[in-house]
Amino acid sequence: MSLSNSWENNVRKVVPYTPGEQPKDTDVIKLNTNENPYPPSTKVREILENYDFGKMRLYPDPDSTVLVEAIAERYKLSKSQVFVGVGSDDVLSIAFLTFFNSDKPILFPDITYSFYDVWADVYRIPYVQKPLTEDFRINPDDYKCENGGIIFPNPNAPTGCEESLEMIEEIVKANPDSIVIIDEAYVDFGAESALALIDKYENLLVIQTFSKSRSMAGMRIGYAMGNEKLIKYMNDVKFSINSYTMTPLTQLCGAEAVKDEEYFQSTLKMIIDVREYSKERLSQLGFTFTDSKSNFIFASHNTKSAGEIFAALKERKIFVRYWNKPRIGNHLRISIGTREEMDALFAALEEILK
C-alpha cells in the first residue's frame, strides 16, 4: 500500500544550525568551540560531590531562585531583572519568540552568530542581514531604519571585534519602538558590557552565558538582564512552553560559580594573557587577524588558504573552526586553549607553513 506524502506539506522545514565538531577521539587539541580550557570553580565540584541524589525525584524550582538571586547580587540588579535558561541559546530563542513578532524584519549582521537566521526561519520571522564593513565592524547607520527588532553579539562572533558602548547606545536610542538584544557571550574577555544601559533604556536586553568565561558549557546556563517588564514577558513565554527547564543541581552549581569571583577573575586573566601571546605568535607566522576581545582569534594567513591549514591541522588532531562561506572563507577561528595547547598549535603551523 502506498502512503501519501501530503503530511509533509505541514512540516516546518528549516536548515538547522551546525555546531562545532565534537570529536569522539579524546586524544585531540580542541580549539574549535570556544570552550574554556580550565575547569569550573572548586565550589562547583563541592556541590557535585555532596549533592543528595535522592532529591532528583523532585521537580526543580521553576523560578530558579537560588541562581537568579546569585546573578542579581553579582550584577547589582533586582531578581525581577534576571531571566535564566538552559544555555544562552535557550535564552536567545525565548527572546526571539517573545519580542520579534511584527511584520517588519529584524536586523542583524551578515557575519555573526549563525543561529540567528535559524531561529528567524523556525519562528517565521522576517530578517535582513546588514553587511559588516571591510574591517568587520558594524555601521550604526545601517540600524537606523524601520525594523522589528535588532540583535548582534558584542564582541561579535566569529570576528571577535568589540563595538563601543557609545555605538551600542546610539543604536538603542535610535530604536525606541524595537527591542535591541546584545548577545554578550564573550564580553568577560575584555569588552565593555551594555549592562550599564539597561536602566536607561527599557528596550534593551543583555544576554550572557556560563559556557565560556565560567567554564560550564556542559551544564547549560544562560541568562538575560533587562527591565522588569522585558523579563516578565520572557518568563510568560517560558512558562507557556516548559516550567521545569533547569535541574536543581544546575541551579546550585551556577549559583556557586557566580559567587567565586576570585577564581573567575584568575581564569579570565590566564585566558587573556594566552590570547595576547597567541596574537604575537600568529603574527610571526604570517597571519593577520582582528583585535579580538573574546576567547578566540579570527585569523587568515597571508599565503596559505584557510581550508588547507584547517585540513592539515585536523590530520594532526588539532581542531579549529572553518566556514567555507563568502567573505570569511579564508579565515580560521582559533579558540584560546592553555599555553601548552597553543604552543602545540604553533609548532604544527610551523610545519604546515614551511
Side-chain angles (χ1 to χ4, degrees):
M1 181 177 65
S2 63
L3 297 176
S4 170
N5 289 331
S6 61
W7 58 267
E8 288 191 83
N9 295 330
N10 299 316
V11 171
R12 189 174 292 256
K13 302 180 184 75
V14 293
V15 178
Y17 170 76
T18 303
E21 185 175 355
Q22 298 286 355
K24 300 297 187 288
D25 185 356
T26 57
D27 184 25
V28 300
I29 295 176
K30 193 169 179 294
L31 305 174
N32 66 329
T33 51
N34 299 340
E35 293 150 327
N36 197 309
Y38 306 107
S41 162
T42 56
K43 294 182 182 294
V44 173
R45 185 175 65 193
E46 290 169 8
I47 292 292
L48 293 170
E49 290 175 346
N50 298 303
Y51 188 71
D52 179 1
F53 78 95
K55 291 182 178 179
M56 297 301 287
R57 67 185 179 82
L58 303 172
Y59 283 112
D61 172 13
D63 296 316
S64 301
T65 304
V66 66
L67 178 58
V68 168
E69 287 180 345
I71 293 171
E73 183 176 350
R74 164 66 171 76
Y75 293 101
K76 297 180 173 56
L77 303 172
S78 69
K79 292 186 297 181
S80 56
Q81 290 180 286
V82 178
F83 173 94
V84 297
V86 186
S88 61
D89 286 342
D90 178 48
V91 177
L92 286 160
S93 177
I94 292 291
F96 268 62
L97 193 56
T98 305
F99 300 119
F100 296 160
N101 290 294
S102 77
D103 294 329
K104 301 170 187 175
I106 64 170
L107 310 178
F108 50 85
D110 64 335
I111 301 171
T112 193
Y113 186 30
S114 52
F115 228 139
Y116 297 160
D117 58 334
V118 174
W119 285 315
D121 286 338
V122 167
Y123 297 135
R124 302 296 189 258
I125 301 167
Y127 65 91
V128 173
Q129 293 174 289
K130 296 294 186 177
L132 296 179
T133 62
E134 287 300 312
D135 59 348
F136 300 126
R137 308 311 294 259
I138 288 174
N139 179 353
D141 292 337
D142 287 340
Y143 296 83
K144 297 176 182 178
C145 58
E146 195 172 38
N147 65 77
I150 294 169
I151 182 168
F152 57 87
N154 194 45
N156 195 13
T159 66
C161 295
E162 177 194 14
E163 301 295 349
S164 70
L165 191 60
E166 290 75 20
M167 192 221 72
I168 291 171
E169 183 169 13
E170 181 181 345
I171 291 175
V172 175
K173 189 175 182 179
N175 291 277
D177 299 324
S178 299
I179 299 300
V180 180
I181 301 174
I182 309 300
D183 181 356
E184 294 188 343
Y186 301 99
V187 74
D188 293 323
F189 299 103
E192 187 174 9
S193 174
L195 189 61
L197 300 175
I198 65 171
D199 287 332
K200 188 174 181 180
Y201 298 98
E202 69 173 13
N203 61 321
L204 173 64
L205 189 73
V206 174
I207 295 178
Q208 296 187 10
T209 179
F210 282 50
S211 295
K212 317 300 182 183
S213 56
R214 295 193 186 275
S215 308
M216 296 177 73
M219 196 150 268
R220 313 308 300 127
I221 303 173
Y223 54 106
M225 297 171 286
N227 76 66
E228 296 181 1
K229 188 183 294 186
L230 294 184
I231 300 305
K232 180 188 182 300
Y233 283 138
M234 290 185 71
N235 274 313
D236 288 346
V237 171
K238 170 187 172 180
F239 290 133
S240 299
I241 299 170
N242 185 353
S243 298
Y244 304 110
T245 56
M246 186 175 289
T247 70
L249 184 58
T250 299
Q251 295 177 32
L252 290 171
C253 288
E256 289 305 308
V258 170
K259 294 172 186 176
D260 196 347
E261 186 70 17
E262 182 179 354
Y263 182 80
F264 176 62
Q265 294 297 336
S266 68
T267 52
L268 286 180
K269 184 179 186 306
M270 287 190 288
I271 291 168
I272 292 169
D273 288 347
V274 174
R275 181 189 68 200
E276 297 307 304
Y277 161 74
S278 297
K279 288 178 182 178
E280 294 179 11
R281 294 289 287 114
L282 286 170
S283 181
Q284 293 166 3
L285 290 166
F287 285 88
T288 56
F289 40 83
T290 58
D291 184 22
S292 174
K293 290 297 180 68
S294 59
N295 68 335
F296 59 83
I297 298 172
F298 191 59
S300 63
H301 195 260
N302 296 334
T303 59
K304 205 169 190 70
S305 75
E308 289 180 88
I309 298 172
F310 170 78
L313 286 172
K314 193 170 181 179
E315 287 178 1
R316 291 165 172 79
K317 294 187 175 184
I318 301 175
F319 287 72
V320 297
R321 195 80 194 267
Y322 170 62
W323 294 272
N324 187 15
K325 292 182 177 181
R327 297 190 68 190
I328 61 171
N330 199 36
H331 287 75
L332 298 171
R333 192 194 67 189
I334 304 167
S335 302
I336 302 301
T338 63
R339 174 68 178 260
E340 293 73 22
E341 288 174 328
M342 301 310 290
D343 281 337
L345 167 71
F346 302 138
L349 287 172
E350 286 176 350
E351 290 182 4
I352 294 165
L353 297 171
K354 282 181 181 177

